[in-house]
Amino acid sequence: MRHVYGWLLLLPGFILIVAFTHYPTVTTFINSFFSNQTVLKPKRFIGLDNYEYMLHDPIFMQTLKNTLYFSLTTVPLSIMIALAMAIFVQEKIKARSIVRLAYFTPTILPMVAVANIWLFFYAPEIGLINQVLHYFGFNEYNFLGDRDLVLGSTIVMTVWKEAGFFMIFYLAALQGIPKELYEAAKIEGSSPWTTFTKVTFPLLMPTTFFVMINALINSFKMIDHLFILTKGGPDNASNLLLYYIYDVAFSFFDYSYAATLTMVLLTILIIISLIQFGLIEKKIHYK
Amino acid sequence: MLKLIKKVAIYSVIAASLLTSANADKTKLTMYYPVSVGGPLTKIVDSMVYDFEKQNPDIDVKAIYAGNYNDARIKSLAALKAGEPAQLAVMFSIDVYDLIEQNAIVSFSDLAKSQEDKKWLKSFYPALMENGTTLGKVWGIPFQRSTIVMYYNKDAFKKAGLDPNKPPKNWDEMVSMGKKLTNDKQWGLMIPSTGYPYWMFGALAKQNGEVLMNGEGTKTYFNNPKVIEALQYWKDLSSKYKIMPEGTIEWGTLRKNFLSGKTAMMWHSTGNLTAVKKNATFDFGVAMLPAKEMRGTPTGGGNFYIFKNTTAKQKEASLKLIKFMTSPENSAKWSIGTGYIGISKAAYETPALKKYVEEFPPAKVARDQLDFATAELSTYQTGRVRKILDDSIQAVLTDKKSAKDALNDAQNQANRLLRDYK
């Protein structure tokens, strides 16, 4: 009887997870082995054809490369800046709460709003950044219209938006480090840098770990800005995997190929989680 | 007291049953529509729907603003799949092949059977019917339709010693005038190359005497020598003649560039006309696009479609609504409010639009240009084919490929996609 009661309590959550996570995952996996269904052509089993097509799809290769580059730069950069900001506003400086608020503001804004603001920062001639460059006599750049600059430009914007959010976690963690450790370090005559590397940073490791998982997984889902800023252009230079999946599914109506691409994204995310939970967690010092 | 409650209860049951039966007689329509240029366009649609419901108390219309063209298509098709379909929608005119392939729409040729209806189908400008007509039938009725026009800054023309009433008529003049107009504060010309590059390119190709695809949507002509030449000219505007900035030019911020005097000429949708008129602080003109071998522009914008999964009664009501929305009076109202083209000759003969055009001549440039217009790029697999061309254009403008290589590649890829449709 108690078993039944327990299962009943689990049921609502169980149904939600199955309906919205497991069932779609399984059907996505199955669909990736079938051809696309239209009214004129019914779907049929095609084995690995979709995967083979994918390997020869230059846009897929480009978006995969862009996505990895995007994730592996935005995450470390935002974490470093978040840590630096947290330590800065931890100190007793003037107008501390105002500075904290300023750092946190970008986080409150939705990504679409941020992209709309930065669209006008980056615009040639009329954009803020180019007007500043022009004022000091530097060359102006077409940030979003140059294939060498566009991905970097979206990365800078993303770091600007994300760092403030991670700062909050570090601020909380910093409050939790016992004062005695710093007093002891002072007595030993440790330099600020040594104190940071030997005391602060190791004790922040669990926070860093947590932030890193979140940031990495989040970075693969971050495509809202592309709808406003570049639509993935010019010529896919700023395109990301998830945005390409959206295009394939909803502009091209090729649901089975979209399923194939989704499996790749899913695999990447699973691998990241395994690495993080398996390897890194062992090396982190918990109390 | 109890009696009173009983009475109220009985009356309310009767009233409710009456109300529902009245409701059951009403034909309910759901309509999705997109907006892709600036301005309070939803208000205009709402007021038109309100007028329609007043005239037709037996029809109940729910008009839903559904984002840009892509969103409108996704939402309509998703609703269709979910079993709660809309009955009609305004969607991209170039979606027609996809909608046919998805078996989502019915043709107006099958619905409009009476003599009067057939006359109605012929009342629109022929150029606007091109994108909606295939397989010998009409599938889309023009509503918010545009062409590309050239906006130019008359003050800048005067400053450069040019006649402000003589905008460039051909490609060579555009270059020579562009050079005079370019200085360290201002560019001569901007043609947007994000958002809808294939659309701008359709204009250049047509001006060079070539179209981008056949009328059945089964073949593209991307690597035709004339088409390659057109892309080379686009690239030359920045790299050779230096009258346009390098790299791609953003569709969304271009109007701001023009309004703040950073470019003397811009190519943009006529759907922007009212917004430019309201915000320009200088004297501006609107001209037809220049010619190489001929003048040319693709049409653009949205058509009305009726979905298949609709009862006979709803189809009839939908047709009625579409006729109302595309009537000369409403088309005139829509054109004045937005800058989109009035879709029939009769619209320009209404007193309202006649007066507006007289007071503000730029309002008729887009319509006059219809004589030189061609269909917007639209094929089977249209999303993919369009992206291939967009990517190729951007690859050329950002110096990754030559015009010839890019368009040869694009044609090969398009051939592969369209192989099954011949």
Side-chain angles (χ1 to χ4, degrees), chain A residues 251-252, chain B residues 73 98 379-388:
Chain A
S251 301
F252 308 165
Chain B
R73 181 186 55 222
D98 280 327
T379 61
Y380 286 96
Q381 295 277 326
T382 212
R384 274 210 164 100
V385 171
R386 199 166 65 212
K387 180 155 172 66
I388 289 169

Side-chain angles (χ1 to χ4, degrees), chain A residues 146-273:
Chain A
D146 185 327
R147 63 168 56 250
D148 298 327
L149 297 175
V150 65
L151 188 57
S153 303
T154 59
I155 287 170
V156 169
M157 185 196 78
T158 310
V159 170
W160 177 82
K161 170 155 169 49
E162 292 295 295
F165 184 54
F166 302 143
M167 178 191 77
I168 297 295
F169 293 104
Y170 277 120
L171 261 182
L174 283 172
Q175 319 278 344
I177 298 177
K179 292 262 171 339
E180 300 86 55
L181 293 174
Y182 290 106
E183 283 161 11
K186 227 179 197 170
I187 291 168
E188 298 285 337
S190 141
S191 72
W193 177 246
T194 316
T195 311
F196 174 74
T197 52
K198 299 284 185 219
V199 181
T200 314
F201 192 67
L203 286 172
L204 287 177
M205 222 37 199
T207 309
T208 307
F209 174 61
F210 170 79
V211 168
M212 203 158 73
I213 293 179
N214 272 287
L216 256 184
I217 290 173
N218 203 20
S219 68
F220 283 89
K221 296 188 289 194
M222 218 173 303
I223 55 160
D224 305 19
H225 59 284
L226 293 181
F227 287 90
I228 308 293
L229 282 182
T230 64
K231 307 252 181 328
D235 187 21
N236 297 307
S238 66
N239 210 349
L240 299 174
L241 187 51
L242 188 56
Y243 188 80
Y244 184 48
I245 293 174
Y246 166 85
D247 248 356
V248 169
F250 297 114
S251 301
F252 308 165
F253 302 110
D254 192 344
Y255 300 112
S256 76
Y257 186 49
T260 313
L261 294 170
T262 307
M263 286 317 295
V264 173
L265 184 61
L266 213 60
T267 313
I268 294 174
L269 290 178
I270 290 172
I271 291 173
I272 292 174
S273 316

Side-chain angles (χ1 to χ4, degrees), chain A residues 37-41 53 58-59 62 119-120 123-126 131 134 142 144-147 228-236 239 244 246-248 250-255 257, chain B residues 70-71 73-74 77 81 98 101-103 184 187 190 194-195 245-250 252-253 256-257 260 262 381-384 386-387 391-392 394-395 398-400 417 420-421:
Chain A
Q37 182 173 20
T38 68
V39 177
L40 305 180
K41 289 181 229 155
Y53 178 81
I59 302 180
Q62 169 103 43
L119 184 61
F120 282 92
E125 277 95 35
I126 54 170
Q131 282 184 355
H134 185 81
N142 186 353
L144 301 176
D146 185 327
R147 63 168 56 250
I228 308 293
L229 282 182
T230 64
K231 307 252 181 328
D235 187 21
N236 297 307
N239 210 349
Y244 184 48
Y246 166 85
D247 248 356
V248 169
F250 297 114
S251 301
F252 308 165
F253 302 110
D254 192 344
Y255 300 112
Y257 186 49
Chain B
N70 256 339
D71 302 337
R73 181 186 55 222
I74 291 165
L77 289 178
K81 278 201 168 161
D98 280 327
E101 200 178 356
Q102 304 260 335
N103 204 14
D184 46 328
W187 290 96
M190 288 192 190
T194 68
E246 302 252 357
T248 55
I249 294 168
E250 168 60 36
T253 52
K256 182 105 198 299
N257 270 305
S260 53
K262 299 296 181 185
Q381 295 277 326
T382 212
R384 274 210 164 100
R386 199 166 65 212
K387 180 155 172 66
D391 288 350
S392 308
Q394 293 185 339
T398 53
D399 278 325
K400 191 187 173 195
L417 283 173
D420 295 343
Y421 294 91

